[in-house]
């Protein structure tokens, strides 16, 4: 008897399981998921403070907010990664308890994380098979191929089921993640900052797909901090700040500035004032630079330009057209094949990075975590990375700890770095604050030349505004600035001149009065201007 | 969560830990401290270098310990196995201070320094060190010697080899092993002057993998009889495998009865009776003959005559009956003691009796110094003429090697192939 | 499974205690099954390593080499350099000390020969560490493999020396060197085997590694390099300098441990495994249990030393085979490592 009852428990572990969005009829416009009064407290922080959130069938719903506003926490609760301290969740109108992602998937809720959870050495089909509870036991990937193709076609998620994941581009990997969720029965799909890793084209593709999925009856939550995304593709926008919902609006009811204000809690500068600055001597001169890329192909092919003090020289271009290699060659991280780099009249071609940077060059690297910081070291220790070698930071052997701390505290205040203390490991900081640490370190030395690669990439609105303001401050002070960015608005807002790079060459250099968005777009596609 | 909670938890954890500590220590003192008082008996501690299950050196010592422990009511024993040389001083301290041992036996050469130091540290305790040469007022030495057995094994090997190649898997190139290889080679040569002994060093006392490799290498090289110094029956097992494949290779077991590992291939071997030595030492301590004052010149170097060693691959079986006929079929002339022509089997038995009848070496004290003199034995393998590998006459005709020469032996006799330095 | 952010401080103290307690519980269960009273056994163990004069003194004897090697490894691991070669570096220190004591200055007085032994021991260990360091910095050869291989070379070298040219003349042909002249014996705390100079050096080494890492420029550079070599390169920190310096100090400290073992304990060179007992490998555990904090390495070295020492009390008192003792020690380490893991990661089951 006892055995029997045990078995029945094992076979039917949960009663609530009957509810599943994938099998239930929820009409378009009806709520798929409702969250009511969600409270989640982490030690020292109220991450979600009495939050209500609805997702309807057939809508793309933006969850907009600054880093740390509580959007990801809220969605992690919905996906069963955290359990809420208070509050209720309803799926298709029925109250449920979601204790794990497995529960969430059963209810028809899927999530695509910022960092993909795919196994690179397996094929697409194998990865999907792994995630499906009901995949056939023997040679599952083979049986799945057809199924995958069916889903691919239906939602426009093109991907080769037999390709290995390591062969795929980031965008394709994201598609695999979405397929995984859909084939797992997801009807409510959460995407966490899906566009940060995508190229503009891939991003457009994704949005088309999302639209199609919504039309098929899915509900989609798009976690983002980018205003234009929220405004352009979403049906509704819920804005969060400090763990609370500020408002839920429709895109036609608001303009970008309104949303920015809701997110940040004050008026935000979207258009920067750029007073004319005094243009001085030539700080950086690049002549006929030729550089090879990682695969040994020519990446920078005979590029020449000058930057003078007080001037922002922007480089526009689709990623992968030689911008990164150009910057690396200038700072000495990549070998120059031919040509010449001069800083303040001194030839620094193929000089070690430390010498180049020692000439008063500030460098804000493209990969800020990989290159810009020592993640395990404290905030203050990261702040002295460029200056620790010299007095008063250190003597012959020993560090001058007192001075360093004093100085670190001042910088943290001055640059408004939000950190528990100057001794906290810098890896615990948010992306925006890490960038502040880097900028504080680089700008505090009054650099003559600033090389900034994608300085606001991945940052939220407030942090982006801050970085841009700081760059303009440096321009006013008389620094020469090389700005590489994919964000055309940023380039337009900050640059005095803009070069457009295509396949290793400058397609053209636009002077201040020639710059328009359309001209740059045309040139980015490689078409030279006939001017 | 309030600020104080973690601190309170920490405090609780600390109190619990201290309480456990206090209970443990208190219990220990209560249970074990009074035990120190009762000591009408003798308590002997044994320190082993290997595990008692090693089927060799340590196993043999532990067998000896068990036998005397059961034999005498007045004796208690305790042992510690797998003691590294660096840990020996600590283990001695423990045996003396915590286990209240009166006698400590340290059964590895590497324990020598530690034993001598302990002797100085505990002047009223008694120590016996196996296989060393340093003594003190309360530190004696002892060793059960195999060279006579290796010689007898060599006689049989010389008769059984058809390829005239005899292999020897050897542990470490130290005098003890060199002496045994020489004794074996001398036996081989007496029966078969054309045969050579091929030595492979494995540089380990216990390493079945290397022993197997060495044995297979020797067989591949043409050897059809193997002897070895290594604390596992691996070589025997290898030979048994070859026998099963139709290629009989014969072997002599080492230190423990290994007949059962190769009943078809094991001819004979070397066996030890440490209990004979332990019995003598402990009885003499018990009756007051040995004290912590008079061990300066006490050294046991016991062999067949004293009964500390036995010929055979199993107790009571000097020669595997399977090989009796083969050994009886080969005849030799006893040129050394003049007993005429006989079969190898009879020669082995004759030599065995000769060596059992009288001691080979006798310890004497002269001017307060221990001196080993040659015993009145009729035959000893290490009797001249003996030539080294370069053909030099190392021992003149009729001259016998004594204790000190044998204990420092670093050269091979002329029918050994291999280097005595490893 | 995901990484936790910084665990609260009280957890860092509580978790190891819980780990030790659970190891005791698990082992106790199996011991009780075998009819051995666990409490009695634990009290014996504790008495064996910490609660008696002898126990404490031998725990310290074990702590000395564990701490010297462990402090060096903390430095190396902080710089993300995987020195698995402390064992070999220790042996080379022992070889150098033997050379000084027996061959270079056999009749020098103590005040010359003892500093000379430590100096040459440090240099020998450092050189042994510099070889893989050089290969890593110049040719990018993986140091895990090279340091490991260098261990075996050191072992073979010691064996060659004691069987060959350095075999003692007064030792009846046994493979050990002659005893060091008395001037080269390290002074001990009377009645114990605790060699005083090495003990002081060991404690100093922990303090020095701490100062080096957190108060000097090179230590800062090492930590930056360890945390992110790319950032180090960008900051103009020479990776060669960091690797060579770290390997030299790490190897040198292990070399000092080797000097202590031959001049303080054995007073001669002998079989490699008799000199070291695997201290160089156990020191890896010391470094990680200390969470790469050089001062905490003092505690973890004492803990591990005590664990080794406590084991044989159990063996004697209960006649347990040595395997049970090893199992117990292994269980203890396993629980501690799992505790560490629990501290750093949050595990989700389904």
């Amino acid at each position: 008897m006892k055995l029997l009852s045990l078995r029945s428990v094992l076979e039917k572990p949960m009663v609530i399981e009957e509810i599943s969005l994938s099998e239930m009829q929820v009409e378009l416009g009806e709520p798929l998921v409702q969250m009511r009064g969600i409270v989640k407290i982490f030690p020292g922080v109220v991450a979600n403070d009495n939050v209500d959130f609805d997702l309807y069938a057939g809508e793309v719903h933006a969850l907009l907010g600054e880093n740390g506003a509580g959007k990801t926490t809220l969605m992690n609760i919905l996906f069963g990664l955290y359990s809420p301290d208070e509050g209720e969740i309803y799926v298709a109108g029925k109250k449920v308890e979601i204790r794990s992602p497995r529960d969430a998937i059963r209810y028809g809720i899927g999530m695509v994380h910022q960092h993909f959870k795919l196994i690179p050495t397996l094929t697409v089909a194998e990865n999907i098979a792994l995630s499906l509870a009901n995949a056939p036991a023997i040679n599952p990937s083979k049986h799945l191929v057809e199924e995958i193709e069916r889903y691919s076609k239906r939602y426009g998620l093109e991907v080769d089921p037999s390709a290995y994941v390591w062969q795929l581009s980031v965008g394709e990997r994201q598609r695999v993640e979405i397929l995984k969720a859909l084939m797992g029965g997801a009807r409510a799909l959460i995407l966490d900052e899906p566009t940060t890793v995508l190229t503009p084209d891939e991003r457009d593709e994704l949005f088309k797909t999302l639209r199609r999925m919504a039309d098929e009856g899915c509900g989609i939550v798009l976690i983002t901090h980018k205003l234009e995304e929220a405004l352009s593709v979403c049906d509704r926008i819920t804005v969060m700040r400090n763990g609370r919902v500020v408002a839920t609006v429709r895109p036609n009811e608001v303009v970008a500035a309104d949303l920015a204000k809701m997110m940040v809690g004050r008026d935000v500068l979207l258009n920067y004032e750029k007073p004319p600055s005094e243009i001085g001597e030539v700080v950086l001169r690049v002549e006929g630079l030729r550089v090879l890329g990682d695969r040994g192909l020519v990446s920078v092919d005979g590029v020449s330009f000058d930057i003078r003090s007080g001037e922002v020289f922007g480089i526009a271009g689709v990623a992968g057209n030689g911008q990164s290699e150009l910057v690396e060659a200038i700072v000495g991280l990549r070998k120059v094949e031919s040509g010449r780099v001069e800083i303040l009249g001194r030839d620094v071609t193929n000089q070690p990075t430390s010498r180049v940077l020692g000439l008063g060059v500030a460098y804000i690297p493209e990969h800020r975590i990989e290159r810009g910081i020592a993640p395990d070291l404290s905030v203050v220790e990261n702040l002295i990375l460029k200056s620790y070698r010299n007095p008063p930071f250190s003597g012959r052997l020993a560090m001058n700890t007192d001075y360093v701390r004093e100085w670190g505290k001042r910088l943290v205040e001055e640059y408004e770095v939000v950190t528990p203390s100057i001794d906290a490991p810098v890896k615990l900081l948010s992306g925006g604050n890490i960038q502040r640490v880097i900028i504080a370190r680089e700008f505090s030395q009054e650099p003559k030349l600033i090389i900034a690669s994608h300085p606001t990439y991945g940052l939220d609105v407030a942090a982006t505004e801050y970085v841009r303001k700081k760059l303009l401050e440096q321009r006013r002070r008389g620094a020469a600035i090389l700005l590489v960015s994919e964000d055309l608005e940023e380039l337009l807002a900050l640059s005095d001149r803009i070069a457009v790079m295509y396949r290793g060459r400058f397609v053209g250099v636009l002077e201040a009065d020639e710059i328009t968005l359309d001209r740059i777009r045309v040139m980015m596609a490689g078409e030279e201007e006939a001017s | 969560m309030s600020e104080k909670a973690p601190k309170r938890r920490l405090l609780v954890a600390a109190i619990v830990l201290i309480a456990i500590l206090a209970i443990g220590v208190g219990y220990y003192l209560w249970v074990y401290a009074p035990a120190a008082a009762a000591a009408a008996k003798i308590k002997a501690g044994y320190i082993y270098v290997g595990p008692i299950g090693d089927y060799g050196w340590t196993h043999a010592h532990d067998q000896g310990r068990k036998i005397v422990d059961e034999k005498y009511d007045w004796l208690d024993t305790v042992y510690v196995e797998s003691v590294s040389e660096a840990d020996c001083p600590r283990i001695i301290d423990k045996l003396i201070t915590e286990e209240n041992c009166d006698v400590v036996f340290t059964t590895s050469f590497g324990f020598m320094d530690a034993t001598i130091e302990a002797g100085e540290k505990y002047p009223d305790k008694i120590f016996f060190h196996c296989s060393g040469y340093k003594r003190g007022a309360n530190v004696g030495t002892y060793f059960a010697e195999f060279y006579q057995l290796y010689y007898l094994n060599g006689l049989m090997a010389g008769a059984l080899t058809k390829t005239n190649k005899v292999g020897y898997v050897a542990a470490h190139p130290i005098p003890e092993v060199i002496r045994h290889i020489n004794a074996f080679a001398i036996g081989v040569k007496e029966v078969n002057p054309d045969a050579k002994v091929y030595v492979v060093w494995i540089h380990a006392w216990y390493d079945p993998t290397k022993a197997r490799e060495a044995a297979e290498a020797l067989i591949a090289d043409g050897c059809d009889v193997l002897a070895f110094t290594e604390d596992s029956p691996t070589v025997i097992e290898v030979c048994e495998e070859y026998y099963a494949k139709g290629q009989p290779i014969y072997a002599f077991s080492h230190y423990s009865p290994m007949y059962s590992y190769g009943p078809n291939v094991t001819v004979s071997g070397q066996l030890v009776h440490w209990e004979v030595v332990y019995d003598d030492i402990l009885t003499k301590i018990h009756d007051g003959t040995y004290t912590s004052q008079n061990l300066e010149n006490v050294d046991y170097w016991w062999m067949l005559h004293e009964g500390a060693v036995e010929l055979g691959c199993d107790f009571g079986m000097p020669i595997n009956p399977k090989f009796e006929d083969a050994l009886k079929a080969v005849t030799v002339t006893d040129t050394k003691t003049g007993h005429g022509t006989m079969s190898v089997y009879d020669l082995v038995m004759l030599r065995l009796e000769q060596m059992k009848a009288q001691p080979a070496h006798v310890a004497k004290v002269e001017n307060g110094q221990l001196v080993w003199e040659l015993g009145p034995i009729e035959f000893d393998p290490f009797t001249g003429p003996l030539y080294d590998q370069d053909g030099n006459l190392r021992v003149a005709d009729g001259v016998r090697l004594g204790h000190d020469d044998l204990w420092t032996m670093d050269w091979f006799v002329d029918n050994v192939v291999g280097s005595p330095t490893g | 499974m995901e990484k936790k952010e910084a665990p609260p401080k009280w957890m860092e103290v509580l978790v190891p205690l819980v780990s030790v307690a659970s190891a005791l519980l698990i082992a106790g269960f199996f011991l009780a099954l075998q009819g051995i009273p666990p409490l009695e056994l634990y009290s014996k163990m504790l008495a064996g390593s910490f609660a008696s004069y002898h126990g404490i003194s031998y725990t310290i004897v074990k702590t000395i080499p564990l701490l010297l090697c462990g402090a060096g490894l903390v430095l190396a691991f902080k710089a993300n350099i995987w020195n698995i070669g402390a064992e070999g570096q220790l042996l080379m220190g022992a070889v150098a000390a033997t050379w000084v004591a027996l061959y270079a200055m056999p009749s020098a007085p103590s005040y010359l020969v003892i500093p000379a032994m430590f100096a040459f021991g440090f240099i020998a260990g450092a050189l042994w560490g510099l070889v893989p360091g050089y290969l890593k910095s110049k040719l990018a050869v993986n140091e895990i493999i090279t340091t490991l291989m260098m261990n075996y070379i050191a072992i073979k070298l010691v064996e060659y020396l004691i069987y060959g040219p350095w075999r003692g003349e007064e030792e009846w042909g046994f493979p050990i060197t002659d005893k060091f002249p008395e001037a080269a014996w390290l002074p001990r705390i009377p009645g114990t085997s605790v060699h005083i100079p090495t003990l002081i050096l060991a404690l100093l080494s922990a303090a020095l590694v701490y100062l080096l890492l957190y108060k000097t420029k090179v230590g800062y550079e090492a930590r930056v390099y360890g945390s992110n070599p790319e950032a180090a390169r960008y900051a103009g920190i020479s990776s060669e300098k960091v690797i060579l310096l770290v390997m030299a100090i790490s190897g040198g400290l292990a070399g000092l441990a080797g000097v202590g073992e031959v001049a303080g304990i054995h007073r001669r060179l002998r079989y490699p495994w008799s000199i070291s007992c695997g201290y160089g490998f156990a020191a890896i555990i010391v470094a990680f249990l200390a969470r790469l904090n050089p001062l905490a390495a003092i505690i973890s070295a004492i803990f591990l030393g005590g664990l080794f020492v406590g084991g044989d009390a159990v063996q004697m008192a209960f006649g347990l085979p040595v395997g049970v003792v090893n199992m117990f020690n292994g269980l203890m380490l396993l629980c501690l490592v799992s505790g560490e893991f629990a501290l750093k990661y949050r595990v989700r089951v389904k």
Side-chain angles (χ1 to χ4, degrees), chain A residues 48-151:
Chain A
N48 284 160
D49 185 2
N50 200 18
V51 173
D52 293 347
F53 182 82
D54 291 336
L55 178 66
Y56 298 143
E59 74 167 345
V60 179
H61 190 151
L63 190 52
L64 188 67
E66 295 278 90
N67 289 337
K71 6 181 240 300
T72 303
T73 305
L74 185 69
M75 288 302 111
N76 279 344
I77 289 172
L78 183 57
F79 193 55
L81 283 166
Y82 299 142
S83 52
D85 295 323
E86 279 172 40
E88 289 160 359
I89 300 173
Y90 299 86
V91 170
K94 295 203 178 82
K95 190 179 164 191
V96 297
E97 216 176 301
I98 303 175
R99 275 166 298 186
S100 69
R102 206 182 159 105
D103 286 353
I105 290 166
R106 280 204 193 110
Y107 293 134
I109 300 166
M111 185 159 179
V112 175
H113 298 270
Q114 238 174 323
H115 304 284
F116 303 148
K117 310 203 161 169
L118 297 172
I119 300 167
T121 49
L122 296 184
T123 66
V124 170
E126 283 164 344
N127 266 287
I128 291 175
L130 268 181
S131 71
L132 297 181
N134 56 352
I138 295 158
N139 200 359
S141 44
K142 201 174 169 188
H143 297 270
L144 274 176
V145 169
E146 242 173 77
E147 185 90 356
I148 292 171
E149 279 166 354
R150 203 160 57 78
Y151 270 85

Side-chain angles (χ1 to χ4, degrees), chain B residues 209-230:
Chain B
T209 316
K210 281 190 193 164
R212 170 171 290 273
E213 283 169 12
E216 286 178 348
L218 286 166
I219 294 167
D221 214 27
C223 294
D224 59 353
V225 181
L226 300 181
F228 62 96
T229 313
E230 193 262 344

Side-chain angles (χ1 to χ4, degrees), chain C residues 212-271:
Chain C
L212 184 79
L213 273 174
Y214 294 102
K215 302 289 172 194
T216 68
K217 279 203 265 191
V218 283
Y220 173 74
E221 291 176 347
R223 284 185 299 130
V224 172
Y225 177 79
S227 177
N228 185 352
E230 278 289 322
R233 190 157 83 108
Y234 150 74
I237 293 169
S238 152
S239 63
E240 277 170 38
K241 180 178 146 194
V242 168
I243 294 169
L244 293 180
L245 190 91
V246 163
M247 283 306 293
I249 295 176
S250 178
L253 290 177
L256 292 182
V259 176
E261 293 309 295
V262 291
I265 306 271
H266 301 288
R267 292 160 177 172
R268 63 165 99 237
L269 193 66
R270 59 191 338 161
Y271 284 140

Side-chain angles (χ1 to χ4, degrees), chain A residues 440-485:
Chain A
R441 177 178 76 211
E442 300 293 329
F443 291 2
S444 64
Q445 298 204 303
E446 308 219 322
K448 302 223 167 51
L449 172 64
I450 294 169
I451 297 171
S453 278
H454 309 281
T456 60
Y457 176 82
L459 299 189
D460 60 29
V461 174
T464 300
E465 180 196 20
Y466 182 85
V467 170
R468 290 179 185 166
K469 258 167 49 186
K470 282 286 167 190
L471 279 169
L472 286 176
E473 240 175 68
Q474 292 295 317
R475 169 176 173 273
R476 199 177 321 128
R477 198 186 47 76
I481 299 173
L482 174 63
L483 173 67
V484 177
S485 180

Side-chain angles (χ1 to χ4, degrees), chain B residues 1 6-7 9-10 13-14 17 20-21 23-25 27-28 31-32 51 78-87 89-91 93-95 97-99 109-113 117 121-122 131-134 171-176 178 203 205 210 403-404 407-409 420-421, chain C residues 10 13-14 17 20 24 39-40 43-44 46-49 51-52 54-55 57-59 62 156 159 163 167 170-176 179 188 191-193 261 265-268 270-271 273-277 279 308-313 315-323:
Chain B
M1 194 184 303
K7 277 187 191 157
R9 248 180 255 200
L10 206 69
L17 197 77
I20 293 172
L21 265 166
I23 292 169
V25 173
Y27 186 75
Y28 165 74
V31 172
Y32 293 95
V78 58
Y79 72 89
V80 189
E81 62 178 331
S82 293
V83 174
S84 89
E85 291 169 19
D87 288 334
R90 182 174 93 241
I91 305 298
D93 273 351
K94 287 197 166 205
L95 286 174
T97 60
E98 285 166 26
E99 298 295 324
F109 174 77
F111 299 157
M112 180 168 70
D113 291 340
E117 275 175 34
K121 192 168 168 184
Y122 302 104
S131 79
Y133 46 84
K134 286 189 186 166
H172 285 285
I174 60 168
E176 177 196 335
I178 292 171
H203 295 283
W205 291 114
K210 281 190 193 164
H403 170 275
D404 292 3
W407 272 69
T408 55
M409 190 167 251
T421 56
Chain C
W10 59 268
V13 180
L14 193 67
L17 292 180
V20 170
L24 293 175
L39 265 186
E40 200 172 312
S43 57
K44 267 254 160 180
L46 207 59
S49 48
S52 73
H54 285 296
S57 78
Y58 283 116
T59 298
K62 291 255 165 194
K156 287 292 161 199
E159 283 182 356
Y163 277 110
R167 179 145 25 174
E170 295 154 13
E171 305 300 340
W172 299 72
F174 281 94
I176 46 178
K179 251 196 170 172
R188 294 173 175 175
T192 73
S193 305
E261 293 309 295
I265 306 271
H266 301 288
R267 292 160 177 172
R268 63 165 99 237
R270 59 191 338 161
Y271 284 140
W273 62 87
S274 304
I275 298 169
S276 170
C277 319
Y279 292 132
F308 288 150
V309 170
D312 32 57
Q315 228 198 105
M316 269 180 255
F318 297 91
L320 290 176
V322 68

Side-chain angles (χ1 to χ4, degrees), chain A residues 253-285:
Chain A
E253 300 166 358
V254 287
V255 294
D258 301 332
L259 286 177
K261 191 175 173 184
M262 287 188 226
M263 280 166 72
V264 182
R266 59 176 167 80
D267 282 313
V268 178
L269 224 54
L270 290 177
N271 294 305
Y272 296 84
E273 230 174 280
K274 196 174 64 186
S277 62
E278 273 184 46
I279 306 291
E281 49 168 351
V282 171
V283 178
L284 173 68
R285 167 163 293 162

Side-chain angles (χ1 to χ4, degrees), chain B residues 108-332:
Chain B
S108 171
F109 174 77
F111 299 157
M112 180 168 70
D113 291 340
T115 313
I116 296 296
E117 275 175 34
E120 288 161 12
K121 192 168 168 184
Y122 302 104
D124 54 342
K125 302 291 179 187
I126 291 174
F127 298 89
F128 271 86
H129 175 234
C130 182
S131 79
Y133 46 84
K134 286 189 186 166
R135 280 173 294 279
N138 57 339
V139 185
T141 49
Y142 63 102
F143 196 62
E145 175 60 50
F146 274 173
Y147 79 72
Q148 295 173 325
L149 305 181
Y150 271 107
Y151 160 78
L152 294 171
N153 292 164
L155 293 177
M156 296 181 243
L160 291 173
T161 178
K162 297 199 170 60
T163 59
N164 284 348
K165 282 182 167 183
V166 179
Y168 197 112
V169 178
H172 285 285
I174 60 168
E176 177 196 335
V177 179
I178 292 171
R179 175 167 83 232
H180 292 166
I181 294 170
N182 280 339
F184 184 70
I186 289 166
V188 169
K189 190 178 185 183
E190 187 171 337
V191 173
N192 186 345
D194 298 329
K196 300 271 185 205
V197 177
Y198 292 78
V199 176
V200 172
W201 298 106
I202 61 168
H203 295 283
W205 291 114
Y206 175 81
D207 192 332
T209 316
K210 281 190 193 164
R212 170 171 290 273
E213 283 169 12
E216 286 178 348
L218 286 166
I219 294 167
D221 214 27
C223 294
D224 59 353
V225 181
L226 300 181
F228 62 96
T229 313
E230 193 262 344
D231 284 347
S232 80
T234 308
V235 174
I236 307 262
E237 286 168 346
V238 171
C239 294
E240 189 71 21
E241 286 164 21
Y242 274 83
Y243 181 87
K245 284 190 284 185
Q247 183 186 352
I249 310 288
Y250 303 123
F252 296 89
S253 75
H254 178 65
Y255 238 101
S256 291
M258 296 177 176
Y259 171 77
S260 57
Y261 289 90
N264 295 304
V265 296
T266 317
V267 184
S268 180
Q270 316 101 43
L271 295 167
V272 72
H273 290 281
W274 285 111
E275 67 277 11
V276 175
V277 182
Y278 288 135
D279 195 326
D280 193 76
I281 293 172
L282 288 165
T283 315
K284 282 180 173 154
I285 292 171
H286 186 61
D287 67 17
T289 312
Y290 290 161
T291 70
S292 58
Q293 309 299 321
N294 63 3
L295 301 181
E296 183 74 50
N297 295 319
V298 172
D299 184 18
Y300 287 73
W301 194 33
W302 280 14
M303 313 179 195
L304 280 168
H305 173 70
E306 295 83 3
V309 300
E310 180 183 338
L311 177 69
C313 49
D314 204 349
F315 293 111
M317 186 207 286
I319 296 173
N320 182 349
K322 188 171 178 286
F323 293 94
E324 266 180 38
D325 293 341
L327 293 172
K328 281 176 178 158
V330 182
T331 51
V332 282

